[in-house]
Every structure is written in structure tokens, then in C-alpha cells.
Amino acid sequence: MTGSSGTRQAAFVVWALTRAVLLLWVTKVVTPPGLDVTSDVSVIYHGWSEVLRSGSYPQSDVTWQYPPVAALAILSPALLPFLDYATAFFVLAFLCDALVLGLLLRASDGPGRRAAGVWVWVAGVPLLGTTAYARYDVMVTAVAVAALLAGLRHPRVLGALAAFGALLKVWPALLLAGTARGRATRLAWGTAAAVAAGLLLVCVAAAPGALAFLGFQRDRGTEVESLGALVFHVWRQFGWEGQVELHYGSLEFLGPHVPLVSTLALGLSVAAFGWLLVWRLRARTFGVSTPADAAFTAVLLFTTTSRVISPQYMLWLVGLAAVCLVLRESRMGWPAVLVVAATGVTQLEFPIGFVHVVTSDAQGLTLMFLRNGLLVAACVLAAVRLWRDTVRTPVRAEVLEAVAEPALSRAGRADTPASAP
């Protein structure tokens, strides 16, 4: 048995053990620490599935904030009619987790590949705790991982899966940020546009309320776990008069100056998009890992600057980091480590210590500054490394060429015999 195959076998064993624990937790055979997070599946998702089965999207429910293809994830437990809704959902989440593992194991074998990405997924998912299987984000992440890995050879498949993922939960549209200029971009982006338009037309024609999520998402405020929320966590120590309330499906700060902070958070997201656009225009070197590195960086930037950083968002980052680290060329090692660490802290703040976050006590403040600080550090490091690898390298080469060319010309003239008088 080679060292490489032994590493992959060890990863599979650890995956199997940790996922068995997750299944025991979400099915309540064993009671995990902290809040019960499975009610989103047994109550909210199940309720949405009943509405969807009646022939309409949940357009009267402000907590429905998802693109129309998300209906497939909500209805998916019907594939296992011999199980109750929640149990079927957890089994399907487990199968999506297994699919990602299989894709990463296969991708890690061969020249220019490594098993580090497999370990990121194996370790990162259980660090999130029961939330990993109690939300449909693991399904979306499976689509994203499949898209990036397929895109290494088939840009059209990347485009089709990115479009499908975007209509599941929007963020997979960012998977297209790093496609190489020219044919690969034309194929991926063109396919994505066609598939997205086709799916959207089907969804709008199939049931009323397919686009209701747009208004509900627009009205979101500053969620207690977001980067902007740190302002109010600190301000509460000095007498801020606002409060935390359930609003649009999550606990948000409501009170003086919250709209301002929410607007500033949107401004940060716009700035992140601006940086991404400048990077795209300036980038000259597109290597094997550039699409994955760019996708990871883009999603990391938009997640960190969002008005809402729900715990399950960490799954997106873990999945994309895993794809990066499967590719030996990628330099996203340290950003990936920071993301995995932030995922562990996320479980400590939700569901284990969420009461401390909501009350903004010393433990809650520490956890939120630590988790969001790790995300900010990962953002900066990932952006710097992506820029250096794709923008600055060609510039250095051009400078060296400009310096070397006159010297070579002089040397050439010196070697050429002088013409006779």
C-alpha cells in the first residue's frame, strides 16, 4: 500500500466515524451540546414542502429567501418515502457529503494533485456540528465541488452546474469568476446563461411565487453573527438601546443606526465585487488552480462582508477550500486553514454558545471577534495570494524582459565583427 493510498484510506475511515456521529446527533439517538438545530428541517422545510406540493412557492412566508430551484432540495425527501421527512433529509445530506468525499478522493489521485483537500472536507464538516446536515447547504456545496472539478476539463459542465447551483442558492454563480480568458470563459459563461435562463423560465411557468425571494432577501437586516454586528455587540456594553429579535428568519439587531450599518455592509460587498472585477481585468496568468482559487476567494469575500453570516455558510467555504487544496498548484493553504479554524469556532458560537452571542456577554464577544477575525484574515490572505499569482507575476516577467533586452542587444553588437572601412 503506497503512502498516498494509505492517506486516502485513513481519510475515509475518519470520515466514516465522524459522519456516524453526525447522523446520531441529527436523528437524536445521541443528544449533542447546544441548541436543537434540526427544527429547521422538521418544521420549516417540511412546511415549505407541503406548500410546494400544493403547486405554489411559499410566497407569503418572508423566511423563504431562496432561488426557485431550491424547491428541489426542499422536496428531495420524497425520494425516500419509507422514511419520515426529517430523517429522509438527513440521509440525503449524508449522501451529498459522501458524494463530495468521493469526488475529492478521485480528484486527489494523479500528478499535480494531493490529498490535503480531502482532509479539509473530512475535518471541516464535523467541525460545524449538526448544522452541517440540518440545512440544505451541503447539497449546494456538492454541486459547487462537482462544478469546479468538472471544469478542469469541461468548461461547459462547469457553466451548467454553476447555473444550477446559482438557482439553488445564488453564490455558486461566483464559481465562474476565475475561468481562463478566451474559449473557456465563452463556453462556461455562455452555457451558464443559457441553463439559468431555461431553468428560470421553467420555474416561473411551473408555479406562482418563483421570484418572491428577491423582495424578502432585499429586506434583510444585520444578523447577530455578521461582521457588522460586532459594532452593536460592543456598543451594547456602553448602553446602546436596540435589541435582538427574530426578523426575516434569523436573529437580527433592531434599533438605532442598524440601517446605517446594514448599508455599510452592502457597501463592503460592492467594494468586494469591485476588487473582483479589477482582478478579473488585470489577471494575466490563469493556471490549473486559478478557477478554484478565484471561486474560493470570491465566495469568502462575499460571505465575510454579508449582512448575514449564518453558520451553514461555512460549508461553502470548506467545500471550495477542499477543491483548492486538491490541486498542488494552489497557494490557498493558509486561507483554507483559517477557514477550517473559523468553522470550529462557528460551532462553539452556534449552537453551543448562541445564548452568549445573543446577549453579547464576554464569551459571546470573544467568539464573534475570533470567528469573524479569522474570516477577515482569510479574506486578506486569499486576495493577496490570488493577485500575486495571477496579476503581479506577468508584470515581473515583463520588467525582467525589458531590462534584459537592451543588455542582450549590446552583447549581440559586441559579438558582431565590425564592418571593414
Side-chain angles (χ1 to χ4, degrees):
M1 181 175 64
T2 65
S4 179
S5 63
T7 299
R8 286 192 289 272
Q9 287 185 16
F12 177 78
V13 170
V14 175
W15 176 86
L17 292 174
T18 53
R19 274 40 174 198
V21 172
L22 284 182
L23 284 173
L24 290 173
W25 280 357
V26 292
T27 55
K28 299 181 181 178
V29 175
V30 177
T31 303
L35 301 173
D36 177 16
V37 302
T38 62
S39 60
D40 273 31
V41 175
S42 59
V43 178
I44 298 176
Y45 285 13
H46 193 192
W48 287 340
S49 72
E50 295 299 320
V51 175
L52 289 164
R53 287 163 65 92
S54 72
S56 172
Y57 284 88
Q59 53 187 328
S60 61
D61 186 349
V62 297
T63 62
W64 175 260
Q65 298 166 11
Y66 309 110
V69 176
L72 295 180
I74 302 303
L75 291 170
S76 62
L79 295 171
L80 303 175
F82 48 89
L83 297 175
D84 64 84
Y85 182 91
T87 304
F89 185 92
F90 300 142
V91 170
L92 290 171
F94 165 79
L95 292 176
C96 288
D97 182 358
L99 174 61
V100 174
L101 177 71
L103 291 170
L104 292 170
L105 285 171
R106 181 177 180 182
S108 68
D109 189 17
R113 307 299 175 87
R114 56 184 175 179
V118 178
W119 282 106
V120 167
W121 183 253
V122 169
V125 173
L127 284 177
L128 193 60
T130 50
T131 306
Y133 283 2
R135 305 290 187 272
Y136 82 90
D137 295 80
V138 67
M139 302 174 181
V140 186
T141 303
V143 174
V145 169
L148 285 175
L149 292 177
L152 294 172
R153 293 186 179 181
H154 307 290
R156 283 195 178 96
V157 179
L158 166 60
L161 289 176
F164 181 75
L167 289 178
L168 273 173
K169 207 163 189 182
V170 181
W171 67 266
L174 296 171
L175 301 178
L176 301 173
T179 53
R181 287 205 180 101
R183 182 174 180 272
T185 291
R186 289 194 300 272
L187 291 176
W189 292 23
T191 301
V195 171
L199 287 173
L200 200 56
L201 285 173
V202 169
C203 291
V204 170
L211 302 180
F213 77 99
L214 293 172
F216 300 154
Q217 188 63 245
R218 180 192 61 222
D219 297 329
R220 294 293 294 267
T222 296
E223 188 255 349
V224 294
E225 297 164 276
S226 65
L227 185 63
L230 294 177
V231 173
F232 301 110
H233 283 299
V234 173
W235 203 348
R236 287 176 103 182
Q237 316 305 313
F238 300 94
W240 180 67
E241 297 178 353
Q243 60 277 333
V244 174
E245 291 184 8
L246 186 63
H247 192 240
Y248 284 94
S250 64
L251 288 172
E252 298 180 358
F253 280 115
L254 299 176
H257 308 293
V258 172
L260 173 62
V261 172
S262 297
T263 301
L264 291 175
L266 284 174
L268 279 178
S269 294
V270 171
F273 178 80
W275 180 90
L276 194 62
L277 181 60
V278 171
W279 168 80
R280 176 76 194 182
L281 295 173
R282 294 283 305 276
R284 293 293 178 270
T285 302
F286 288 82
V288 173
S289 70
T290 302
D293 291 347
F296 172 63
T297 303
V299 175
L300 182 57
L301 286 169
F302 281 96
T303 299
T304 304
T305 59
S306 173
R307 294 170 295 171
V308 178
I309 307 181
S310 295
Q312 60 268 24
Y313 294 4
M314 301 305 299
L315 277 181
W316 316 345
L317 302 176
V318 169
L320 298 182
V323 176
C324 291
L325 265 62
V326 159
L327 306 172
R328 193 172 297 277
E329 180 187 286
S330 175
R331 295 184 64 247
M332 293 294 159
W334 276 111
V337 169
L338 293 173
V339 162
V340 171
T343 303
V345 178
T346 298
Q347 184 181 183
L348 294 179
E349 60 92 358
F350 183 91
I352 295 175
F354 198 54
V355 64
H356 300 287
V357 173
V358 171
T359 56
S360 302
D361 65 15
Q363 183 176 333
L365 278 171
T366 300
L367 289 171
M368 292 319 308
F369 270 97
L370 181 57
R371 198 281 299 275
N372 291 344
L374 287 168
L375 288 179
V376 170
C379 279
V380 173
L381 194 54
V384 168
R385 290 190 171 190
L386 180 65
W387 186 275
R388 286 179 175 174
D389 288 348
T390 58
V391 176
R392 290 183 57 182
T393 300
V395 173
R396 289 198 297 268
E398 290 168 6
V399 170
L400 290 172
E401 185 178 348
V403 171
E405 187 174 354
L408 291 173
S409 299
R410 288 193 297 272
R413 288 196 298 271
D415 290 341
T416 301
S419 56

